[in-house]
Amino acid sequence: VQLQASGGGLVQPGGSLRLACAAPARTFSIYAVGWFRQAPGKEHEFVGGISRSGSSVADSVKERFTISKDNARNTVYLNMNRLQREDTALYYCAVRNSRWHTSVASDYDFRGQGTQVTVSS
């Protein structure tokens, strides 16, 4: 499954970005999606996920990030508000053939190349 993440960039603290994860038609009706991020020197961190069982975001971003899906566009979005310097990382989406998403990166079967988010003034 080929995934294409986009929407990253340079944003000031307090700003917003919307990341998109595009996939071939019907992918997201079958696969669960996870968003992860990795900052230099750090482990992969679960940000949020969406699947047939529902959606969730990590506690660390719960008040600022949401996940949504546009079935017509075969795209899953990570909506990020009130960005902080600590949110700087490479963000990527991944899918697993399951009705449930998980917070473990190694549970996923395919991942996209990622999009860089830099929060800086």
Side-chain angles (χ1 to χ4, degrees), residues 40-103:
K42 294 190 176 180
E43 297 293 322
H44 297 263
E45 179 186 6
F46 172 74
V47 179
I50 188 166
S51 59
R52 284 173 283 168
S53 63
S55 64
S56 66
V57 293
D59 287 343
S60 59
V61 301
K62 202 170 193 176
E63 302 299 323
R64 302 182 293 120
F65 292 9
T66 60
I67 289 182
S68 58
K69 185 169 63 170
D70 186 335
N71 289 321
R73 296 179 184 273
N74 304 305
T75 302
V76 168
Y77 298 100
L78 177 64
N79 307 291
M80 307 188 295
N81 299 304
R82 301 197 304 279
L83 283 160
Q84 304 168 356
R85 288 183 174 80
E86 303 78 59
D87 297 316
T88 295
L90 179 70
Y91 286 71
Y92 65 92
C93 55
V95 296
R96 64 190 300 256
N97 190 353
S98 172
R99 66 176 294 119
W100 294 282
H101 59 277
T102 77
S103 62

Side-chain angles (χ1 to χ4, degrees), residues 36 44 46 92 94-96 102-111:
F36 293 84
H44 297 263
F46 172 74
Y92 65 92
V95 296
R96 64 190 300 256
T102 77
S103 62
V104 179
S106 60
D107 285 346
Y108 289 76
D109 304 309
F110 304 96
R111 60 169 281 185

Side-chain angles (χ1 to χ4, degrees), residues 1-37:
V1 176
Q2 195 162 14
L3 304 171
Q4 182 68 44
S6 62
L10 174 64
V11 62
Q12 291 187 341
S16 299
L17 282 175
R18 186 175 76 164
L19 306 185
C21 175
R26 293 183 51 78
T27 297
F28 300 135
S29 64
I30 300 170
Y31 289 83
V33 183
W35 278 101
F36 293 84
R37 65 187 182 185

